[in-house]
Amino acid sequence: MVSSVLKIALVYPELLGTYGDGGNGLVLAERVRRRGIAVELETVGINDQMPAASLYLLGGGEDGPQRLGADLLGRSSFASRVGDGSYVFAVCAGLQLLGTTFAVEGDDEYEGLGLVDARTSRGLRRSVGELVVRVDGRPLVGFENHGGVTTLGESLVPLGAVERGVGNDGVVDGFRTATIWASYAHGPLLAMNPWFADQILTTVLGEELEPLATVADRLYDERVATLT
Amino acid sequence: MLRPSLRHSVATGAVRAVNRLSRLLSLGSGTVIGGRVGLAIAPDLLKELARGRVVVLVSGTNGKTTTTAMIAAGWGGGVTTNATGSNMPEGHVAALAESRSSSVVLEVDEAWLGEVTRATKPRVVTLLNLSRDQLDRANEVRRIAERWRDVVASERETTYVANANDPLVVYAAELAREVEWCDVPTPWTTDAMSCPHCTQPLHFTVDSWWSECGFKKPDVLTSTLREQLTLGGQSYELHLGLPGEFNEVDAVMALTALCCLDVAVPDALATISALTTVAGRFSEVLWRGHHLRLLLAKNPAGFTAMLATLTTNDDDVWISINARLADGHDPSWLYDVPFEVLRGHRVYCFGDRRLDLAVRLDYARVAYVVVDDESPLPSSSGVVNLVANYTAFQEWREWSVPC
């Protein structure tokens, strides 16, 4: 990235933004802005060209919208831009469609973007509830609501071990590559976990960030105390 | 084994007795537990109690309680209704056991509409809107639309009064034999961005919407709300005692349903216009010396509509958020509410999830105060608007006294 403005793109929130997932974009942009770094948060609509961005955000969606989102992403420059080094933070359906296949509407398999070696099938029942994942030694706290069971290929590293809830399969949640973070914790995961938001920003910006104390620290402590 | 009719009598008596006992012991409003007992004795009790009565059902994500109250008021006479908001079969059974009136209007939880429709064989079902709400309980909005569609397709004797500007409602109601479409403002379309038939993007203009597969807003509209209400070829001015466009929409849906029952519109409109509070909503109360107006908003569409009524000045606003069973355990939806419109106000954050709210407001750059138990509160001279979600709203009603 040579631009002096950090560009974050919120992709198809009309399709992939079922439950406050757009909050992650707001949190990231605001945490950058408050440190005096120029940032632009762009919303990519379903009729828009995929813009260049340092970081793309994918949220969750219902079956039909998820299928349309996968189709539109597949026809866009998204995959090639990620291949060229842009970062991705994805939750829920966004996680599923980055993989090779996912299941929608019954047990029909649908082709994903294939950016990672992950396959999602439909679980016997929905996974709904609080999700706690141990990431780099710290609890990541969130809420999950999905019907998928995701199996990672041998070389794909999960985001962390599940301590409460289900995540991918009851054992691990999400995945992590050099440029992608993905979790089943939907909604404003980064609002509840300010340290994780900063970890993503540090990686994307390639520089250490000044500490930023906000009321989100108090929320994180409260959620960790409640859930662990 | 008891004969069916005797079993129903025993069950009905049990509903009344248990509910009376529950109220006497102050265990609750006495509508759920008695209904449960009655249904345990006679599982088909709802069907039996509804037999021979004229039943109207009201369902949708937002506006159920208000629209139900409006239909009850506009219908006139003794109308049986579940005014306590218990909108699942045990609540319906309780309401029907308590009153023998032949006119019945019930609000119905979206997920229960099929079962309640099949049991009560309603004359009219009013379908208000469908949007994201408590997804941890209801899962996906479109699944509700699919279930409604199945009900509409199978219950052919019912007239459906349905919102023509909510594509998910139109998808649910389009197979009805009799449907009265209401052309009412429906600003929240975020959950209907892709076509429920072909999944391609839906196109929206100011007063229409369509999909490339041919699915579109219905052409023949029974009622239209613009500057005025047009209903059955007549025009009416709306001057409601309840504030906000969303209450006008509920009034139009209620009046359209009443038309199906041959109720005279001018009389019904006069009664509906006189309502100033419904189940405590919009009521003014006193709490520790503060004069509050209680406002209920419990999901993104409802909150967005409610905040639009608050933005005309820079007063303090109190907001109380819980995430208990009846609210949905997941407060992620706070990020689907455009709290940015409150910039210029100062928001006092109450409730179990006041920190989640505070973080949302912080990122929205709205001034906020987290109110813990011992926090001092400023004295205010005027009425303070308190917006609360479901269980928080019930708590504030209990804690405060009516003005």
Side-chain angles (χ1 to χ4, degrees), chain A residues 166-216:
Chain A
V166 179
N168 293 359
D169 55 3
V171 181
V172 295
D173 176 56
F175 47 81
R176 173 85 176 93
T177 73
T179 55
I180 301 175
W181 298 263
S183 172
Y184 264 115
H186 72 197
L189 174 64
L190 301 180
M192 279 195 189
N193 300 275
W195 62 274
F196 190 58
D198 284 354
Q199 190 182 96
I200 290 171
L201 289 172
T202 302
T203 306
V204 174
L205 287 164
E207 59 181 276
E208 287 301 312
L209 293 167
E210 296 288 320
L212 179 69
T214 70
V215 67

Side-chain angles (χ1 to χ4, degrees), chain A residues 19, chain B residues 132-139 298-299 325-328:
Chain A
Y19 231 15
Chain B
R132 57 189 72 186
D133 183 27
Q134 296 183 44
L135 291 188
D136 62 320
R137 286 205 302 160
N139 298 325
K298 49 192 182 184
N299 52 47
L325 180 65
D327 305 305

Side-chain angles (χ1 to χ4, degrees), chain B residues 102-121:
Chain B
S102 62
S103 307
V104 179
V105 55
L106 300 171
E107 70 160 275
V108 185
D109 182 275
E110 302 87 282
W112 286 93
L113 186 65
E115 181 160 347
V116 176
T117 301
R118 282 185 275 273
T120 61
K121 301 292 176 199

Side-chain angles (χ1 to χ4, degrees), chain A residues 14 17-20 23 26 30-31 33-34 46 62 68 126 128 145 186 188 191 215 218-219 223, chain B residues 132 134-136 139-142 193-194 199 201 330 332 335-336 353 356 359-360 362-363 365 368 372:
Chain A
E14 314 98 309
T18 304
Y19 231 15
L26 172 71
E30 199 58 20
R31 294 185 76 81
R33 196 186 65 81
R34 289 186 192 183
I46 47 185
E62 300 186 58
L68 176 59
R126 284 188 80 83
V128 183
N145 185 350
H186 72 197
V215 67
R218 203 182 142 195
L219 173 64
R223 297 311 299 157
Chain B
R132 57 189 72 186
Q134 296 183 44
L135 291 188
D136 62 320
N139 298 325
E140 299 176 352
V141 182
R142 278 160 198 254
M193 297 311 289
S194 84
T199 78
D330 177 15
S332 299
Y335 287 81
D336 287 325
R353 301 308 288 266
D356 298 77
V359 171
R360 172 70 187 96
D362 180 52
Y363 284 124
R365 284 182 254 159
Y368 66 89
D372 298 312

Side-chain angles (χ1 to χ4, degrees), chain B residues 229-250:
Chain B
L229 162 64
T230 310
L231 174 57
Q234 301 285 317
S235 292
Y236 305 90
E237 296 277 345
L238 285 188
H239 299 289
L240 301 186
L242 295 168
E245 184 184 67
F246 52 97
N247 280 317
E248 294 186 350
V249 168
D250 293 345

